[in-house]
Amino acid sequence: HTSRRPTGGATQRTAGNADRAAPSRSKDGFEDLRAVSSPLDELEAPVGEWAQTAHSFLDEPIERVPEKIRAFEPSVSVIGQVKAGKSTLLNAMIGRPGLLPSDVNPWTSVITAVHLHSHHRPYNTRALFRFFDAEEWDRLVATGGRLGEMASRAGFEAEADEIRAQVTEMRMTTESRFGDTFESLLGNSHAFPEVEKELIDRYICYGDPDDLEEGSTEGVYADITKLADLYIDLPELPRGLCIRDTPGVNDTFMMREQITLNAISDSRVCVVVLSAHQALSTMDVAILRIICAVEAREVLIFVNRIDELADPAGEQDKLRASIDKTLTRLGLGGQIEILFGSGYWANHAMGAAGTMIPRSRAALARLNPEADLDDPETMRSTALEASGIHALHRAISKRVAEGPGAAILKDVQAEIAAIVEMGETVKAAAGDRRDNGSSASVGLGADEARTRVDAVRD
């Protein structure tokens, strides 16, 4: 169902509805990920039936199998500098143009986690916003958080003082706005049954607060919101993937860098978004060094905003050569896949392709000189292919499937095999006792069964 809600005089479409019409995505690039999730999904029902008929001592190990399956949710973090187009790109990745704000203000430090077909969605909740608790706020003010502590340990006291001053200013502003309700908000969360643009604007700040009209609720909770969880269930999206939109780095509000660095350690795949106008700046190189230092971390580079280049095809070759040269100097040559595209093109292909600005349309025409861009369907398919979104999906899916995907399939298969072996061992032992004329003809006693099962498990 498609529900509509007026927002500021305009008609606003609910973003979280599973049945909402979406553009055709027959080549969406998630095939490798579905090759992992499909067999896991197919296992849940027979494992549940098995639990109904198996020996009681197998109940607990059998129950752990579907729990392990449902817990599978590898995460992908989208990281990059402010204005690299991360949010626009993520909107394109989940096929929801305009869902996440692409023009956040300098105070925003929210990690937005988009959960696709999650088994762990809270009841009647599709949007959950968690606030910093009192201890986290106190630590931020006292030390500047993790980034401030790192700066102090490294001897950069001036930088550490600046971080603490920024956090203190933010706290004073926030306490003044909320008044007596401030303390009661800390450590709490707000949950909503649908994902709506109005909610996202309220909790993930958007625009400059000094420019907001009186009475506006945009960004009212952004200062104290630590994490936004959005649950999206749509047929064209894979199951069990979490995509995180992180605050931009390298701007005047250093707390955003701290929040982003904290997100890296929780992600299996990191997509570093570069702007085609400033690929691999000093900050980008620093981010790559940090990410690549984390064990088993997969890194992809997505050079965004190629729609703003005068000659997208020709300049891509130069950008790739420049990036490869920098990566080689860092000792990362040939290890990181580099993709090119445009979140802007993808969002317009999925939405109103006819509203594409002339400069972007001209760049698309130069990249695809034989395409009839006057035809709406050709325009959509050409823009979607040139956007690089499907290639990015494929790259992410491949890494998830070959890493955590292969690992969980192997673990689940091994766990099921071990449970079967436990059952067969006890069954065989019970048969041996009956053959030997044992008085316990009905099988093993509970204590002896546990002892034998423990031995098999060991």
Side-chain angles (χ1 to χ4, degrees):
H1 306 286
T2 300
S3 62
R4 294 179 179 273
R5 176 191 185 106
T7 303
T11 300
Q12 178 63 50
R13 187 186 292 258
T14 297
N17 257 319
D19 298 325
R20 180 184 144 177
S24 174
R25 302 182 61 162
S26 58
K27 298 180 180 178
D28 60 16
F30 286 122
E31 293 80 8
D32 284 350
L33 191 53
R34 290 195 180 93
V36 173
S37 59
S38 292
L40 289 175
D41 289 340
E42 292 166 3
L43 272 174
E44 285 198 69
V47 167
E49 294 171 6
W50 183 22
Q52 301 300 316
T53 58
H55 291 291
S56 60
F57 69 87
L58 294 176
D59 286 349
E60 185 179 341
I62 290 177
E63 287 172 3
R64 285 200 300 267
V65 175
E67 289 174 2
K68 179 172 287 188
I69 291 173
R70 287 191 290 268
F72 179 66
E73 191 188 49
S75 63
V76 178
S77 283
V78 183
I79 296 168
Q81 293 191 54
V82 174
K83 301 300 183 183
K86 299 182 308 303
S87 297
T88 301
L89 181 64
L90 193 145
N91 287 337
M93 290 171 67
I94 61 175
R96 289 296 166 264
L99 177 63
L100 299 178
S102 57
D103 185 20
V104 295
N105 78 20
W107 294 105
T108 304
S109 54
V110 182
I111 291 176
T112 304
V114 181
H115 305 268
L116 309 182
H117 295 279
S118 174
H119 279 302
H120 302 285
R121 178 169 68 87
Y123 175 72
N124 198 32
T125 298
R126 291 196 179 276
L128 178 63
F129 303 95
R130 307 172 197 267
F131 302 140
F132 288 104
D133 62 32
E135 183 178 340
E136 288 168 329
W137 267 90
D138 291 341
R139 178 169 174 258
L140 285 170
V141 173
T143 68
R146 181 182 176 193
L147 192 64
E149 292 170 354
M150 291 167 62
S152 294
R153 287 199 298 269
F156 295 99
E157 291 299 334
E159 286 79 359
D161 289 342
E162 183 178 350
I163 296 168
R164 285 190 288 270
Q166 288 180 354
V167 177
T168 300
E169 181 185 352
M170 184 176 74
R171 175 161 187 155
M172 291 173 64
T173 302
T174 306
E175 286 183 337
S176 174
R177 185 169 68 253
F178 286 114
D180 294 339
T181 64
F182 175 76
E183 294 294 340
S184 64
L185 287 170
L186 293 181
N188 284 326
S189 60
H190 289 174
F192 302 90
E194 294 294 342
V195 177
E196 296 184 352
K197 187 70 168 64
E198 182 184 21
L199 286 175
I200 293 173
D201 291 349
R202 193 186 309 163
Y203 289 86
I204 306 173
C205 201
Y206 174 153
D208 189 331
D210 294 333
D211 296 335
L212 295 179
E213 296 179 7
E214 186 176 350
S216 172
T217 60
E218 283 188 4
V220 65
Y221 293 108
D223 296 358
I224 60 171
T225 303
K226 177 177 66 172
L227 179 64
D229 287 293
L230 308 180
Y231 297 89
I232 308 291
D233 299 344
L234 294 157
E236 68 269 21
L237 297 175
R239 183 188 73 78
L241 187 67
C242 175
I243 304 177
R244 289 179 176 153
D245 185 27
T246 63
V249 296
N250 198 32
D251 71 326
T252 55
F253 190 52
M254 288 183 283
M255 181 179 169
R256 299 174 75 174
E257 297 181 16
Q258 168 203 327
I259 299 292
T260 296
L261 295 180
N262 288 346
I264 293 173
S265 60
D266 296 328
S267 295
R268 172 68 197 199
V269 179
C270 289
V271 179
V272 179
V273 182
L274 310 180
S275 171
H277 297 289
Q278 191 184 13
L280 275 192
S281 66
T282 302
M283 175 54 69
D284 294 322
V285 171
I287 292 172
L288 283 172
R289 285 186 182 276
I290 293 169
I291 295 173
C292 294
V294 181
E295 187 178 357
R297 193 68 58 235
E298 293 278 7
V299 181
L300 295 167
I301 290 178
F302 188 91
V303 183
N304 195 23
R305 300 173 64 178
I306 66 168
D307 60 288
E308 299 175 16
L309 299 176
D311 178 17
E315 294 186 52
Q316 279 184 48
D317 294 336
K318 296 177 184 177
L319 285 168
R320 185 182 296 277
S322 174
I323 294 170
D324 279 335
K325 183 177 180 181
T326 302
L327 293 177
T328 300
R329 191 173 68 248
L330 294 173
L332 302 171
Q335 298 180 35
I336 299 177
E337 184 175 357
I338 305 169
L339 304 168
F340 291 83
S342 164
Y344 179 85
W345 277 342
N347 277 270
H348 278 268
M350 296 172 187
T355 63
M356 189 180 296
I357 61 174
R359 182 180 65 179
S360 183
R361 181 188 173 97
L364 184 62
R366 281 190 290 272
L367 192 62
N368 301 271
E370 297 181 3
D372 179 12
L373 299 186
D374 291 327
D375 176 64
E377 287 307 310
T378 302
M379 164 70 101
R380 288 180 185 276
S381 60
T382 302
L384 195 57
E385 184 62 29
S387 73
I389 290 300
H390 292 160
L392 180 58
H393 287 170
R394 285 191 290 272
I396 290 172
S397 294
K398 182 175 184 291
R399 281 153 180 77
V400 170
E402 293 179 354
I408 189 173
L409 284 173
K410 183 178 179 181
D411 286 350
V412 167
Q413 290 166 353
E415 194 151 340
I416 290 174
I419 296 169
V420 170
E421 186 176 357
M422 292 180 199
E424 292 298 331
T425 299
V426 172
K427 181 179 177 181
D432 289 345
R433 290 188 56 149
R434 285 194 294 271
D435 292 342
N436 293 331
S438 168
S439 59
S441 59
V442 295
L444 294 175
D447 292 339
E448 189 174 353
R450 287 194 196 92
T451 299
R452 293 190 180 223
V453 168
D454 288 343
V456 171
R457 185 183 292 115
D458 291 342

